[in-house]
Amino acid sequence: MAISQNQIDLVLSKANIVDVIGKYIDLQKKGRNYVAVCPFHDDSDPSMNVSPDKKIFKCFVCGTGGNVITFVQEFNNITFFKALALIAKELNIKIDGLKEFEDKKKYNSKESILFEINKAAANFFNGLLISSLSTKAKNYLKERKISEQEIERFKIGFCPKNVKVYDYLIKLGFSQENIFESAIVYKSGIDYNCTFENRLIFPITNEDSNIIGFSGRVINSSDSPKYKNSSENLIFKKSQLAYNFDKAKKEARIKNEIIILEGFMDVISLESIDIKNSVAIMGTAMSDYHLKLFSRVAKKYKLFLDGDKAGVNAALKISQFLLERKIDVTIIENNTGKDPDELVKAGDKNLINQMIENSSHPANFATRFFSKDLDIQNSIKVNEFIEKVISVLKYESKENIVDSVIANLASITKIEKSTLFKTLNKAVSKIKVSATNNLYSQENNIDDFNPGQDYINRMLNSFVQDENSHFEIPEYGYETIKKDKIVQANVNEVKKNHSKNFAEAAIVWNILDNDSLLDSLDKKINNIENINVKRTINFIIDQYKRNSYVGHNWEQIANEIKKLNKNYCEYIFEIKNRHFTALQKTLSPKGLEDCFDAIELYKIEDEIMLYSQKINSTNDNELKINYAEHREELLKLRNKIYEKRRKI
């Protein structure tokens, strides 16, 4: 059955946009509207407005806006139809045709069964904790100042000795094979014992709140090991642990910041003082899995590990991993001799917040930490100190940060900056250069420049962007692609994406409405690089040419194009509902030209950025000149478009 805009409109009319958005971010009433700190860019003052009368939201800094569906879509980084389904379900409204757009099942039947077993066991352990068999465990939790609310929120449990966990799971209908695969029990002779017997049990969940395994902690100091985790199986992978991510992702998304801790006790304690954007990697190394997971919700990482030598080394190792991948990371300096959990228990809430606020760049952290007992008269120790700082700094590509750290190193060690830059450059040159890396080059910091350097610098600064160029596009644009497909370096970058994506949407919507610009569009279609947008437009053009479509009925095309690709259908519905206030006028020929200019400018800016990265990624002066010349030609093309806009 076809999806109908009437059904979507019913959802929009029934949904209270203030109530829905208020579940994700804090809203403050201001006159007839509400304001909030925008979760879609680095915002400190409330720049997002929500209008209950118009049922829309809009950020007047980054430009992100739309209706209640598009907010849920953007915030959760999901598809338009999935966001629609979430809201419709809450309102008890059935949307015909949505079923065929549902995601394929994320987990297979075996994984789902293991999740069910773990859930049943977690509830069992949690129930046992309040029984008379668990008095010692309850007293231990009281001593650790873990409240009943925290016990319930994190589903903390306990398994007394000789409790028949196996029999309980069998009675629930689970097979022996699956119970053993879950590793909750093991066979000892003729008995079936619980893996976490006489331990406090902390369920570990994945991003979807499914319990993937457990960690058991002793309550008797004489017992060992202190912690025992589930064995690896189909759903429990030790290299992919991210305790509390499912609960922390909302707050991390709002703050655009995630705090990385060592253990689950640290997470639980920070939650108790309203720090709700923390996760624990539980002794595992930071991996690309973690990076992909965390980057969906936050662009800034703060490392809050123990302040001992092992904790410092772990923090610096993670920092190197993140800096190499161009992630914004800082380290929370902890000189107290206590871990985060101990600090909370000691009542140091204000100190913790101050420490988090004052987190510093890993290279600055390394400089301070390793310089504490440095004897600058001992050349070997000085060299070791420099190497430790350089081992972190070599992954940093921002010249202002590099300059600052090098200046600080020079001040501490009394070594010339030029010498330190040469040491840094040697370290940088050993890093494997890839297309995604933007490595540091010391081109503006050493006195003996290569002969072509002035020529390179002149080209790099020959052209500046005209901020006043005017484009007759209906609006500056809203986002139309998933957040994990773009890099939001700053608000200007967001606006460039907005402009390009809106220009594409405006072209699609115009041709859906009528064929007045069909000939012009047919000639320029190859200027659109987005293959999905191009296929959508070509499909509509073909429908006109076949006399199968006469315009003014976008739902007809949306449901016809579903046969080609259901994602194209969703894209058309998204255009209608995301840009509903801006697509009420037909594009003029000049408006169409402006749309293509916006698309071309985005492409040019992208290439300029690529060549800028290439310039910074090589020490070969000949290559630098070659890349700079390419970049100069692109800048000329960009300025030519700006000049054309000024004349119109």
Side-chain angles (χ1 to χ4, degrees):
M1 188 174 288
I3 293 173
S4 165
Q5 181 62 35
N6 288 336
Q7 293 175 307
I8 298 175
D9 289 340
L10 178 62
V11 171
L12 292 172
S13 66
K14 295 288 186 184
N16 185 316
I17 191 169
V18 173
D19 288 346
V20 174
I21 294 180
K23 291 178 182 177
Y24 294 94
I25 58 176
D26 292 329
L27 296 174
Q28 298 175 345
K29 195 163 182 12
K30 189 174 182 181
R32 298 179 65 175
N33 296 332
Y34 290 79
V35 295
V37 171
C38 178
F40 304 117
H41 76 279
D42 293 335
D43 195 14
S44 54
D45 296 321
S47 58
M48 174 176 286
N49 275 255
V50 180
S51 170
D53 296 334
K54 296 179 181 177
K55 292 184 174 290
I56 61 173
F57 75 96
K58 174 81 173 180
C59 174
F60 290 99
V61 174
C62 73
T64 306
N67 57 33
V68 67
I69 301 172
T70 52
F71 179 89
V72 172
Q73 176 189 2
E74 290 294 333
F75 191 92
N76 292 301
N77 194 23
I78 55 180
T79 66
F80 175 77
F81 281 157
K82 190 163 186 178
L84 170 63
L86 285 175
I87 299 170
K89 186 177 180 181
E90 284 187 10
L91 296 171
N92 227 5
I93 297 174
K94 184 182 177 182
I95 306 291
D96 295 325
L98 268 186
K99 194 167 184 64
E100 63 182 296
F101 290 89
E102 289 179 357
D103 295 334
K104 291 180 181 177
K105 287 188 176 180
K106 191 173 182 179
Y107 306 106
N108 61 38
S109 57
K110 188 74 168 181
E111 290 169 327
S112 298
I113 289 170
L114 291 177
F115 290 144
E116 287 300 316
I117 291 173
N118 287 342
K119 183 179 179 181
N123 289 333
F124 186 54
F125 297 142
N126 184 246
L128 285 170
L129 184 59
I130 63 174
S131 73
S132 59
L133 298 171
S134 306
T135 303
K136 192 171 182 179
K138 286 185 284 188
N139 289 337
Y140 175 86
L141 290 172
K142 283 182 182 177
E143 289 172 11
R144 295 297 298 263
K145 297 182 180 178
I146 295 177
S147 68
E148 290 183 7
Q149 291 80 8
E150 287 157 357
I151 291 171
E152 183 57 34
R153 176 168 170 77
F154 292 97
K155 289 293 176 188
I156 301 170
F158 183 70
C159 184
K161 285 184 177 180
N162 302 319
V163 170
K164 305 298 182 183
V165 179
Y166 173 81
D167 292 345
Y168 173 76
L169 293 173
I170 286 289
K171 284 179 181 177
L172 291 179
F174 297 112
S175 70
Q176 183 184 74
E177 178 190 353
N178 289 329
I179 292 171
F180 281 138
E181 188 162 351
S182 74
I184 293 170
V185 299
Y186 65 94
K187 191 171 184 180
S188 178
I190 61 171
D191 295 323
Y192 299 98
N193 299 328
C194 178
T195 304
F196 307 103
E197 194 173 79
N198 207 34
R199 288 173 179 266
L200 280 167
I201 302 171
F202 298 82
I204 303 168
T205 53
N206 65 9
E207 60 180 304
D208 299 317
S209 299
N210 295 307
I211 298 173
I212 58 174
F214 301 91
S215 183
R217 191 195 193 286
V218 297
I219 57 173
N220 297 316
S221 57
S222 58
D223 292 343
S224 64
K226 186 177 179 180
Y227 292 101
K228 182 187 283 187
N229 292 338
S230 294
S231 301
E232 289 228 355
N233 58 28
L234 191 62
I235 60 174
F236 188 85
K237 310 292 183 186
K238 290 179 181 177
S239 62
Q240 297 179 1
L241 301 183
Y243 183 81
N244 196 52
F245 178 75
D246 59 321
K247 298 181 183 70
K249 59 187 179 182
K250 175 182 172 182
E251 190 72 12
R253 183 73 179 87
I254 293 169
K255 292 185 174 180
N256 195 25
E257 172 186 291
I258 193 162
I259 298 173
I260 298 170
L261 302 167
E262 175 66 27
F264 51 77
M265 294 299 290
D266 297 326
V267 168
I268 294 169
S269 290
L270 288 192
E271 281 260 344
S272 72
I273 58 170
D274 292 325
I275 297 173
K276 300 182 183 296
N277 58 325
S278 68
V279 299
I281 55 176
M282 300 180 65
T284 62
M286 178 72 78
S287 66
D288 285 321
Y289 168 83
H290 292 110
L291 185 60
K292 182 179 178 182
L293 186 68
F294 299 161
S295 294
R296 292 175 190 168
V297 298
K299 299 290 185 260
K300 296 178 181 179
Y301 294 54
K302 290 190 175 184
L303 308 180
F304 195 178
L305 306 184
D306 294 350
D308 57 15
K309 188 176 180 181
V312 168
N313 288 334
L316 290 174
K317 187 175 181 180
I318 293 172
S319 297
Q320 290 169 328
F321 173 84
L322 294 173
L323 286 171
E324 186 176 13
R325 288 154 179 79
K326 307 307 166 196
I327 300 298
D328 185 345
V329 56
T330 56
I331 296 177
I332 297 165
E333 197 160 352
N334 183 4
N335 298 319
T336 64
K338 301 173 184 175
D339 61 32
D341 173 50
E342 292 169 331
L343 286 169
V344 174
K345 299 299 183 285
D348 292 326
K349 176 180 177 179
N350 292 337
L351 175 61
I352 292 171
N353 284 317
Q354 186 179 359
M355 288 163 61
I356 293 172
E357 182 68 26
N358 295 332
S359 64
S360 59
H361 189 280
N364 289 326
F365 172 86
T367 302
R368 282 195 300 275
F369 183 83
F370 294 116
S371 66
K372 287 176 183 175
D373 301 314
L374 178 66
D375 179 5
I376 62 170
Q377 303 303 320
N378 187 327
S379 58
I380 294 175
K381 294 296 182 183
V382 169
N383 187 59
E384 289 175 353
F385 165 63
I386 292 170
E387 285 182 350
K388 286 175 180 176
V389 177
I390 293 294
S391 70
V392 178
L393 187 62
K394 66 184 179 181
Y395 295 109
E396 180 54 69
S397 59
K398 297 185 180 72
E399 291 190 13
N400 60 327
I401 293 175
V402 174
D403 289 345
S404 173
V405 174
I406 290 294
N408 196 18
L409 276 179
S411 175
I412 293 169
T413 63
K414 312 304 179 189
I415 294 174
E416 290 293 326
K417 286 199 295 182
S418 59
T419 302
L420 293 172
F421 273 118
K422 286 176 182 176
T423 303
L424 173 62
N425 232 35
K426 285 179 184 176
V428 170
S429 66
K430 292 177 183 178
I431 301 174
K432 202 171 184 179
V433 177
S434 71
T436 57
N437 284 347
N438 176 17
L439 305 180
Y440 173 72
S441 168
Q442 46 93 15
E443 56 185 349
N444 292 318
N445 294 294
I446 297 181
D447 295 329
D448 52 337
F449 289 114
N450 290 319
Q453 192 61 58
D454 289 338
Y455 174 60
I456 295 170
N457 288 339
R458 178 181 62 77
M459 286 193 290
L460 292 182
N461 296 293
S462 293
F463 299 92
V464 293
Q465 184 168 331
D466 186 346
E467 298 292 341
N468 299 314
S469 297
H470 176 66
F471 289 84
E472 196 178 285
I473 300 175
E475 62 170 17
Y476 203 54
Y478 296 137
E479 190 55 58
T480 58
I481 58 174
K482 292 183 181 178
K483 280 285 182 284
D484 59 354
K485 292 185 180 177
I486 62 171
V487 178
Q488 288 184 223
N490 51 47
V491 170
N492 287 334
E493 186 63 29
V494 175
K495 286 184 176 179
K496 289 174 192 173
N497 283 295
H498 286 171
S499 185
K500 174 254 191 184
N501 292 315
F502 182 78
E504 291 173 344
I507 293 170
V508 172
W509 194 254
N510 189 79
I511 194 173
L512 280 168
D513 186 59
N514 64 79
D515 63 351
S516 62
L517 299 175
L518 200 63
D519 291 340
S520 300
L521 184 55
D522 210 3
K523 294 173 185 176
K524 289 178 170 286
I525 185 70
N526 288 327
N527 292 350
I528 296 175
E529 288 195 324
N530 186 316
I531 189 66
N532 294 325
V533 175
K534 189 183 291 186
R535 284 175 178 170
T536 300
I537 293 172
N538 276 328
F539 180 87
I540 302 167
I541 290 174
D542 185 62
Q543 293 296 299
Y544 275 116
K545 289 180 176 179
R546 290 170 180 267
N547 294 319
S548 300
Y549 184 63
V550 295
H552 310 295
N553 189 2
W554 64 271
E555 286 188 72
Q556 176 191 333
I557 292 292
N559 286 294
E560 282 293 322
I561 204 172
K562 188 166 55 177
K563 298 170 188 173
L564 177 65
N565 189 317
K566 66 181 183 180
N567 292 329
Y568 302 162
C569 168
E570 183 169 13
Y571 175 56
I572 292 173
F573 271 96
E574 186 177 344
I575 290 174
K576 162 65 180 172
N577 289 277
R578 182 181 292 275
H579 306 296
F580 55 93
T581 59
L583 295 173
Q584 297 172 1
K585 296 180 180 178
T586 300
L587 279 178
S588 65
K590 178 185 179 301
L592 181 66
E593 187 72 21
D594 283 350
C595 285
F596 278 105
D597 281 344
I599 294 167
E600 181 65 17
L601 278 171
Y602 180 85
K603 177 185 171 184
I604 291 170
E605 291 285 0
D606 214 31
E607 291 186 57
I608 289 171
M609 186 181 295
L610 177 62
Y611 277 105
S612 296
Q613 290 175 347
K614 286 183 176 181
I615 290 167
N616 286 331
S617 69
T618 181
N619 293 320
D620 185 322
N621 201 55
E622 211 172 301
L623 276 177
K624 279 182 182 290
I625 292 172
N626 181 268
Y627 294 149
E629 286 174 344
H630 278 290
R631 187 175 183 273
E632 182 179 23
E633 290 304 312
L634 290 166
L635 289 165
K636 285 179 180 177
L637 282 174
R638 186 185 71 179
N639 282 21
K640 188 176 179 181
I641 294 175
Y642 285 136
E643 186 63 28
K644 180 178 76 172
R645 301 262 54 81
R646 281 194 293 268
K647 289 178 179 177
I648 292 176

